[in-house]
Amino acid sequence: MNDSLLHKGMRKRLVETIVSKGISNQNVLNAIGNIPRHLFMESGFVNFAYKDQAFPIGAGQTISQPYTVAFQSQLLQVKPNDKILEVGTGSGYQAAVLVELGALVYTIERQQELYVKVQQLLPSIGYHPRFFYGDGYKGLPTYGPFDGIIVTAGAPFVPQDLLDQLKIGARLVIPVDNGDHQIMKVITRVDENEFDEQHYGNFAFVPLLNGTN
Ligand code: SAH
């Protein structure tokens, strides 16, 4: 793996940047500090890997901004060995963060091209989530319920199937569309039929789309 001292230095500065923006969970900061984000980038953007920005990854999709990844990861409150579902594998960067946090990660992607690519990259650098090709609106009913679910694309609404796949006490972290941006929502399953909803500010995500491609 090509991960030089220069990369490590840039990563350290990236961590300082997201601390200055308000991320405080040390496990999340360690994960961002450990993961070689430059290996997740399209070749034209490698030099920008440690900027706190989203970048194109092909198939019209993006690798999320590190601050956003950290923010969502912090909201998810992952504990070691938690079974976590991620909707929107994309580059695999968020999945790598979840693996670093000690989760057993199940990740779904609807774009064939990205689904194939990420299965080469992540295991080659030591990350082993379980990969699924499919429509994240449906979740993974045969593998649930989950200790947490994270959606990394802007959803037009909160999919009922995802709520159904939360354990009691588990949380769904999902950016929900509100016209020109998304509101970050955390929905906690209080008991079988009761859910608590909290809002955590505005974000910009690519849309959660229907079906597979
Ligand atoms: N977590 C990714 C972010 C990728 S952007 C990362 O760290 O790089 C959002 C991803 O969600 C895209 O790859 C897009 O193809 C995927 N996506 C959109 N709608 C989806 C759906 N219904 N099911 C699964 N994945 C979906």
Side-chain angles (χ1 to χ4, degrees), residues 61-97:
Q61 304 305 321
T62 57
I63 178 171
S64 299
Q65 181 182 349
Y67 169 75
T68 303
V69 171
F71 191 80
Q72 284 195 282
S73 301
Q74 188 168 278
L75 287 177
L76 199 57
Q77 298 184 352
V78 179
K79 296 183 296 306
N81 297 318
D82 273 358
K83 195 160 82 171
I84 301 290
L85 172 65
E86 179 196 22
V87 174
T89 315
S91 71
Y93 183 76
Q94 172 73 71
V97 170

Side-chain angles (χ1 to χ4, degrees), residues 117 132 135 172 175-176:
K117 196 170 162 190
F132 296 85
D135 181 359
L172 166 63
V176 181

Side-chain angles (χ1 to χ4, degrees), residues 77-173:
Q77 298 184 352
V78 179
K79 296 183 296 306
N81 297 318
D82 273 358
K83 195 160 82 171
I84 301 290
L85 172 65
E86 179 196 22
V87 174
T89 315
S91 71
Y93 183 76
Q94 172 73 71
V97 170
L98 296 170
V99 172
E100 286 267 353
L101 293 174
L104 308 170
V105 181
Y106 296 69
T107 184
I108 318 178
E109 173 56 54
R110 68 175 284 282
Q111 293 269 8
Q112 180 103 45
E113 177 190 335
L114 298 173
Y115 167 72
V116 169
K117 196 170 162 190
V118 73
Q119 288 179 81
Q120 303 269 312
L121 174 68
L122 279 187
S124 79
I125 55 173
Y127 297 108
H128 298 279
R130 294 181 70 166
F131 300 100
F132 296 85
Y133 175 62
D135 181 359
Y137 277 94
K138 301 190 178 77
L140 289 174
T142 49
Y143 294 89
F146 295 94
D147 297 295
I149 301 178
I150 175 171
V151 177
T152 66
F157 57 87
V158 178
Q160 183 62 43
D161 284 333
L162 298 185
L163 294 175
D164 290 343
Q165 289 167 40
L166 288 172
K167 290 184 188 172
I168 307 293
R171 354 179 86 198
L172 166 63
V173 178

